[in-house]
Structures are given as C-alpha cells and as structure tokens.
Amino acid sequence: MDKKQTTNLLAKSKSLFSLNSLADNYNNKGLKFLEKDDYENAITCFFQSLDYDENYSHAYSNIGNALLKKGNYDEAVKMFGDAIKLDEKNSDYHFNLGVALTQCNDYKGAAKAYKECLKITPRNKLAVKFLGNCYKDLRMFPEAIKTYKKLEKLDPKNPEAAFLQSKIHIRHGRFNLGWKMYEYGLKNNIRKPFIGYYNETKTLWDGKPFKGNLLIYGEQGLGDQLNFGTVLKDLLKEKPDVIIKVDERLKQIFKNTYPEITVYGEDDIVPTEDYEKYISLASLCKFFRTHTDDFTNTHFTKYIIGETENPYINDFFKKVSGFKIGISWHSFSTENGLNRSLNTDQLSQIVKCKNVNFINIQYGNVLKQIKEVKLLSGKEILKVPFTDITKDIISLASIIKKCDLIISIDNSTAHLSASLGHPTWVLLPYSADFRWMEEVTPAIWYNNTTLIRQEKENDWNGVVDLVCDAIEKSNLNN
C-alpha cells in the first residue's frame, strides 16, 4: 500500500472512529438511540462523545442526521458543515449536507454539496439523482436532463431516470415524448397504480378499438385522479364501455360526472369476467393528450358533485355576507410540501385584505396555524362547523362551490376546485409540478383557473403581494 492510499484510509478511519474509546462508546450509544428514533437521547450522546474528542467528525455528522430526522434542517446544515471542516474527503457528509439544504429549499447550496460528493464518489447514484432534482428545482432544465441521462448510464435497469426526464418534457409541451417516457413510472411503482394493476392477467390496452369493457386503475393521490380524470370525456368518444377504480372519497363525484362509466372504489374487487383489457389512469394521456391542441380543442367537463346532505354548510353560508374566498395554504407532502406551502406570516398578509371573508378549505389538522393567523392578522379564517373536509370530499366541494373565489397552493384542493370549473387562483413555487407547465398563466388542464407563480426561488412575498393587490383592485367586495 503506497503512502497516498495509507493517508486516505487513515482519514476515512478517523471520520468513523475516535482515538478516544469513551468518545466511541458515547457515539455508539447514540447510534442505538437513533435506530429507535429517540432523537433527543441520541443527540445528547453524540455531544457527550464530542466532550471526549472535539475533532470527532462522525459525531458531528450523526448529530446532523438526528436533527435531519427531527426536521431541524437549519441546525442539521451547521452540523454537517462542522463535520466537513474536520473531514472534507468524506462523501457522506457532503451528501447529507445536500439533503439538509434541499429541505431548507436551498437548491443552489444543495447542488454544490452533491457535486462535492460526486467528486469523491462519482458513481453515487442517489447523489446524481438528487443533483438532477436540484437542477430541475432551479429550472436549469438542460442540466437536469443531462444529469438524469448520466443516472441512466450508471443504473440502466432503473426506470426512474427516464420517468424524471418525462416530466420535464411534458412541462415544456413535448407531450408525445413526455407521456411515452411517463410510462417508465409504472415499471417500479413510482406512479402507484391501485392494487390489482400489477397482478393483472388481462391484456394491457394499446389504444386500439376492441369489443368489451376497459378497466381503468386509478393511481397516486386525489389531485392526480381528479386531474387525469379530465381525459375521460375524450376516451368515451372512442371507447364507451369503461369501468374505473378511484379513491373511495371520489366515487360519487365520478359517478355524477360520468354516469355512463361503472365506478368502483379503490379497494373494491372488479370481477375479471366484467372486462377484457386494462390501463392505468394517467396512461390515457399518451393517447389523448399528445399535443397542445388536445387540451385547447377538447370540451372541458366540470365535475358534478350533486347535492350535499350536510345541513351545516347551507346554514353557515346564510350567515356570511359579502365576498367569500375559500383558502388553502398547506401541503402535507413529505417530498416537497414545505416548498409548496405558505407559512402563517405569508397567509396572514392575504387574510388581512379588507371587506373579504376567508373560508377554511384546508384539509388536515391546521387549528394551530389558524390561531396564529388570527393573532397576526386580527382576522379569523371562518370554518364550517361539524364538517370533516379531509375525509368528506363532497362537503369540501360544496363549500368550494359556495365561495366566490378559491385561492390555493398546489395541493389536491386546488385540483378539486379547478376540476369543478370554479374560479381558482393557484399559487405556485418557482419550479412547480410538471402539469402546471412553464410560463403559462391559464391552466392548460382546466377552465377558469389562474396560475400565480413565484418569479424568484422561495419568494412567496412577491406572490402574496400580487394576490393582495389583485383582491384590492378587483373590488371583489362590491
């Protein structure tokens, strides 16, 4: 072993082990707590390890990992930075720093960290993927495509690289190529079609005419099913014999909107003798959304909710006069929900708008946020009583229909409101979901939906100012 190899091995060894046995003992004890998700005790042990060896880089990194799991991303960034100062040749430290910076929405910093990681371990497939994601979030799309192609070469059996490229093609209007590549998302369950899809014994539909029923499997979340479900009207013109499986909460809406379709819930069993071929819902786009004209020339079909049986909704709106804006501000997505959400300070600026009533259409447990907004704005976001808008989508849709305008960040509520054809403003981050396209204001999938985009990374203030200005100048209350 030559001198250079010996030096590298020693450096790596020092990053993982301390020359002080007590420091090692506390570090190992902390790792056991970390495995049990006991973050507080883990962090305490790691700091005790540093009391015995202040240059123990791996202890700093482990503190960073614990803070990362706790959601304390800014503090995690500092700890990974301290670890790198002690051992800049450890690729894991750079990689973890990239992860923490991504959670802080610092995509430039994250990209730099991933590139440092790849200088040390150039075949780190996850680092290549995450670097491509950073380029995508920075809207550096040629660089993102190039990076995803590199991932393809490193991991040719993994379809995810092609799937990631597909969404860039679609958002730029390269529909024919994009939807074909989007099919790679079915090869490793990225798109999550409903149970039964991967166990099918019937023939996958190729878009050609045939006799018998076509079974369509719903996929992904509520917003995805609502969005891709807008293609069904065009499908029915060519293939009238259709069965579909959707989320149980959407069954009635799909039944009301498409009475000619047999609708099952996600967990319902469709008898195999009732259909001849099958397909996943979003895969219809490769047949019916291959060009911009397919969006503009189709007749947009609003979803029909029918009559609600909830008496509290009508009673509530009888008591609320003036202009009513339904508002949704939060995404619970673990992938990029923080990037899409407004914080309570930003939300408060909108709620402060005078002579306008704001109605809560935000699903999930947001009571604490609503209380904070009231303290910050001096106004209350009104709530329909005794109504679970997380589980009861029909009631949520009814509330939306009774509002004069909906303002929502990119979540399932935005897709619900837009698919109802209701006046909707969707607030989008700098790099939005691929279905909102690039540099367009009216949503291509829906009617009556306006897209309001960040002009700079993480700049919700510009969006909030634009919304407040639009509300004021529109004289919505008159």
Side-chain angles (χ1 to χ4, degrees):
M1 185 178 293
D2 61 29
K3 184 176 181 181
K4 183 178 180 181
Q5 289 175 309
T6 304
T7 302
N8 289 341
L9 184 62
L10 182 60
K12 187 174 182 180
S13 176
K14 283 183 177 178
S15 72
L16 297 173
F17 304 102
S18 170
L19 297 179
N20 187 305
S21 61
L22 286 173
D24 263 344
N25 289 339
Y26 278 111
N27 183 66
N28 292 333
K29 187 177 179 181
L31 290 172
K32 291 180 179 178
F33 281 121
L34 195 57
E35 288 175 0
K36 299 176 182 178
D37 294 334
D38 186 348
Y39 307 128
E40 296 301 333
N41 279 320
I43 290 170
T44 298
C45 288
F46 295 139
F47 271 116
Q48 287 174 320
S49 175
L50 290 172
D51 287 339
Y52 290 97
D53 184 353
E54 63 182 9
N55 294 317
Y56 194 179
S57 62
H58 209 52
Y60 282 105
S61 177
N62 286 334
I63 295 170
N65 287 331
L67 291 168
L68 198 57
K69 290 187 175 184
K70 274 188 71 179
N72 296 357
Y73 304 125
D74 290 329
E75 296 176 52
V77 166
K78 182 182 181 304
M79 288 299 163
F80 291 131
D82 289 341
I84 290 169
K85 288 176 185 176
L86 292 167
D87 184 4
E88 62 182 14
K89 297 298 183 182
N90 189 305
S91 66
D92 289 341
Y93 300 166
H94 293 285
F95 178 86
N96 291 337
L97 176 61
V99 173
L101 287 167
T102 298
Q103 293 297 327
C104 295
N105 295 334
D106 182 359
Y107 301 115
K108 289 180 182 177
K112 182 179 178 181
Y114 291 132
K115 285 190 278 189
E116 290 297 322
C117 170
L118 290 166
K119 285 179 183 178
I120 303 166
T121 53
R123 297 187 63 81
N124 186 324
K125 291 177 284 191
L126 208 51
V128 174
K129 171 189 167 182
F130 288 171
L131 176 59
N133 291 347
C134 286
Y135 285 139
K136 180 263 297 179
D137 289 325
L138 291 166
R139 294 172 68 189
M140 299 169 64
F141 298 114
E143 289 85 353
I145 290 284
K146 182 179 178 181
T147 306
Y148 292 144
K149 285 184 179 296
K150 181 179 178 182
L151 180 59
E152 277 185 304
K153 292 179 180 178
L154 285 174
D155 196 4
K157 293 184 179 181
N158 188 344
E160 188 173 12
F163 177 73
L164 292 168
Q165 292 175 64
S166 76
K167 294 192 283 187
I168 294 177
H169 291 307
I170 294 168
R171 71 194 291 164
H172 285 90
R174 298 187 288 271
F175 298 116
N176 199 29
L177 173 60
W179 290 122
K180 287 179 180 177
M181 295 183 72
Y182 195 69
E183 292 299 286
Y184 281 94
L186 292 171
K187 293 185 181 295
N188 61 352
N189 200 28
I190 299 173
R191 280 169 49 184
K192 297 180 174 60
F194 289 169
I195 293 173
Y197 179 88
Y198 290 112
N199 298 321
E200 269 293 351
T201 57
K202 298 295 182 76
T203 303
L204 183 66
W205 188 46
D206 59 4
K208 297 177 181 178
F210 72 96
K211 291 183 179 181
N213 289 326
L214 172 66
L215 172 60
I216 302 171
Y217 282 90
E219 59 176 276
Q220 305 178 63
L222 290 177
D224 305 279
Q225 293 165 62
L226 289 165
N227 178 243
F228 294 127
T230 60
V231 181
L232 291 172
K233 195 70 175 179
D234 293 306
L235 167 68
L236 290 170
K237 294 174 185 176
E238 298 188 16
K239 181 61 187 168
D241 307 312
V242 174
I243 301 170
I244 191 169
K245 294 184 73 172
V246 296
D247 188 292
E248 188 70 31
R249 293 169 291 178
L250 297 177
K251 270 178 67 174
Q252 195 58 51
I253 291 178
F254 273 76
K255 284 182 177 181
N256 294 339
T257 308
Y258 302 108
E260 58 271 73
I261 294 178
T262 303
V263 181
Y264 283 83
E266 178 179 354
D267 298 324
D268 295 338
I269 297 174
V270 182
T272 55
E273 62 270 19
D274 286 359
Y275 64 98
E276 280 64 47
K277 296 188 179 184
Y278 73 101
I279 194 169
S280 195
L281 180 57
S283 296
L284 294 174
C285 295
K286 68 182 178 182
F287 303 128
F288 299 101
R289 292 294 182 269
T290 60
H291 193 275
T292 306
D293 290 345
D294 294 333
F295 291 89
T296 56
N297 293 338
T298 190
H299 175 71
F300 173 71
T301 301
K302 301 177 184 178
Y303 284 104
I304 300 170
I305 59 173
E307 293 296 324
T308 178
E309 297 179 359
N310 186 334
Y312 300 103
I313 295 175
N314 288 332
D315 290 345
F316 172 84
F317 278 95
K318 286 177 183 177
K319 299 174 184 177
V320 181
S321 59
F323 200 87
K324 295 171 280 293
I325 297 178
I327 191 158
S328 177
W329 62 90
H330 191 77
S331 169
F332 290 91
S333 169
T334 54
E335 184 178 345
N336 55 12
L338 181 64
N339 183 42
R340 287 190 270 157
S341 301
L342 299 177
N343 62 36
T344 50
D345 286 328
Q346 294 153 348
L347 177 60
S348 296
Q349 293 303 310
I350 297 175
V351 173
K352 280 181 182 178
C353 291
K354 297 179 180 178
N355 302 317
V356 176
N357 294 300
F358 287 92
I359 314 298
N360 178 42
I361 55 168
Q362 176 60 58
Y363 57 84
N365 184 4
V366 291
L367 182 61
K368 181 180 178 182
Q369 295 178 31
I370 290 175
K371 288 181 178 179
E372 287 179 8
V373 169
K374 185 176 181 180
L375 288 173
L376 291 167
S377 67
K379 281 182 66 177
E380 187 173 0
I381 299 175
L382 304 178
K383 180 181 181 295
V384 177
F386 309 111
T387 302
D388 185 350
I389 58 176
T390 301
K391 295 180 180 179
D392 187 352
I393 302 301
I394 297 294
S395 287
L396 173 58
S398 298
I399 294 169
I400 287 171
K401 293 286 285 184
K402 288 186 176 294
C403 292
D404 299 294
L405 171 69
I406 298 301
I407 298 176
S408 178
I409 56 100
D410 178 15
N411 57 17
S412 60
T413 301
H415 283 288
L416 176 60
S417 179
S419 66
L420 293 170
H422 204 66
T424 305
W425 296 355
V426 184
L427 315 185
L428 298 175
Y430 182 69
S431 180
D433 181 80
F434 72 102
R435 286 166 297 186
W436 300 119
M437 310 296 289
E438 283 292 311
E439 299 178 354
V440 296
T441 300
I444 195 170
W445 293 86
Y446 307 110
N447 288 351
N448 230 2
T449 298
T450 300
L451 309 178
I452 304 175
R453 303 174 183 270
Q454 288 184 358
E455 294 185 359
K456 297 183 294 184
E457 288 174 73
N458 304 317
D459 180 23
W460 279 122
N461 292 331
V463 171
V464 169
D465 290 343
L466 191 61
V467 168
C468 293
D469 190 55
I471 291 174
E472 182 180 344
K473 289 183 178 179
S474 298
N475 292 316
L476 297 177
N477 54 304
N478 292 332

